[in-house]
Amino acid sequence: MGLNFKEIFTAFMVLFAVIDIIGNIPIIIDLRKKVGHIQSEKASIIAGGIMIIFLFVGQSLLSLIGIDVNSFAIAGAFILFFIALEMILGITLYKEDDDGGITATVFPLAFPLIAGPGSLTTLLSLRAEFEIQNIIIAVVLNVILIYIVLKTSSRIERIIGPNGIKIIRKIFGVILLAIAVKLFAHNIKALL
C-alpha cells in the first residue's frame, strides 16, 4: 500500500505511450506557427490537472451525465481523427479564435492532445490495477516531460528543419490516424 517503483514506472510508460508527446512534436510546432506563442507551463499544468482530477472523479462524472467510458473514448477518437487529417492532408479544420495563443494552449493542446480520451480512459484502467499515489507520481513525471518537450519544440524544429518537420508531420499524422481508428474500433466493439 505504499510507493511501488514498478507500478510508478509501468504507469509512467503506459501514459507516455498513450500521450505520445514525442509523436506530437509536429502538431505542437504547427500550433506554434498558427497561433504564435503557446504557454508551455499553462498547457502542462492544465493537462496534469485534468488527468489528476479525472483520475478521482472521471468514472463518476461520466456516469452522472449518462456517458460510459467507451462513448467518451469514441468521441475522442473523432477529435484525433480530424487532427490527423489536418496533418496528413495539410488542411485546416480547426478555426482559430482571436486570442489564439491562449485558446491553443488549452484546446487542442492541453485537451485533447495531452489529456485526451486515450490518456483519460487509460487512467481509469490504471486505477483498477495500481495504487492511486503511484499513478499520480506517474502523471506528474509525464507532465514534467511534456513541459520539457513543449519548451524545446522550437529548438527541435531548428535541428530537424522544415522538410524534416513535414515528413515527420505526415508520418505521425498516419500514426495518429491509426490510433484514432484503433481507439474507435476497440470502443465500438465494447459498446456493441
Side-chain angles (χ1 to χ4, degrees):
M1 175 111 179
L3 291 181
N4 181 326
F5 292 107
K6 185 176 185 247
E7 281 190 9
I8 293 169
F9 181 74
T10 304
F12 171 80
M13 290 308 293
V14 168
L15 283 170
F16 178 76
V18 171
I19 294 169
D20 190 25
I21 193 65
I22 305 299
N24 284 326
I25 288 174
I27 300 170
I28 295 163
I29 291 168
D30 192 49
L31 277 174
R32 281 195 193 277
K33 284 182 180 168
K34 282 183 185 174
V35 298
H37 177 70
I38 290 176
Q39 300 168 356
S40 305
E41 303 86 1
K42 189 174 181 180
S44 304
I45 291 168
I46 289 171
I50 290 171
M51 287 190 278
I52 290 172
I53 290 168
F54 197 81
L55 181 62
F56 288 101
V57 299
Q59 188 86 42
S60 305
L61 183 66
L62 292 177
S63 297
L64 181 70
I65 56 177
I67 299 173
D68 58 89
V69 174
N70 301 107
S71 299
F72 182 75
I74 289 170
F78 283 117
I79 293 169
L80 293 176
F81 178 81
F82 289 120
I83 292 171
L85 283 181
E86 282 188 343
M87 292 173 70
I88 295 166
L89 302 175
I91 58 175
T92 302
L93 299 172
Y94 172 69
K95 184 182 177 293
E96 294 115 25
D97 293 335
D98 294 335
D99 57 346
I102 293 168
T103 305
T105 297
V106 178
F107 180 85
L109 189 56
F111 181 83
L113 255 145
I114 299 170
S119 57
L120 297 180
T121 50
T122 300
L123 284 169
L124 294 179
S125 303
L126 290 172
R127 181 154 187 201
E129 295 179 48
F130 300 141
E131 293 289 330
I132 201 132
Q133 68 269 18
N134 297 326
I135 300 170
I136 291 170
I137 292 169
V139 168
V140 170
L141 292 173
N142 267 290
V143 167
I144 292 167
L145 189 62
I146 288 163
Y147 172 74
I148 292 168
V149 170
L150 290 176
K151 266 304 196 202
T152 59
S153 63
S154 298
R155 233 175 281 143
I156 293 168
E157 180 185 21
R158 278 193 300 266
I159 292 168
I160 297 173
N163 288 333
I165 293 297
K166 284 179 188 170
I167 292 167
I168 291 172
R169 189 168 194 270
K170 302 283 186 206
I171 291 169
F172 280 107
V174 172
I175 292 170
L176 190 62
L177 188 60
I179 290 169
V181 169
K182 181 180 176 185
L183 193 62
F184 178 83
H186 174 75
N187 287 287
I188 202 82
K189 264 194 273 183
L191 276 177
L192 303 175

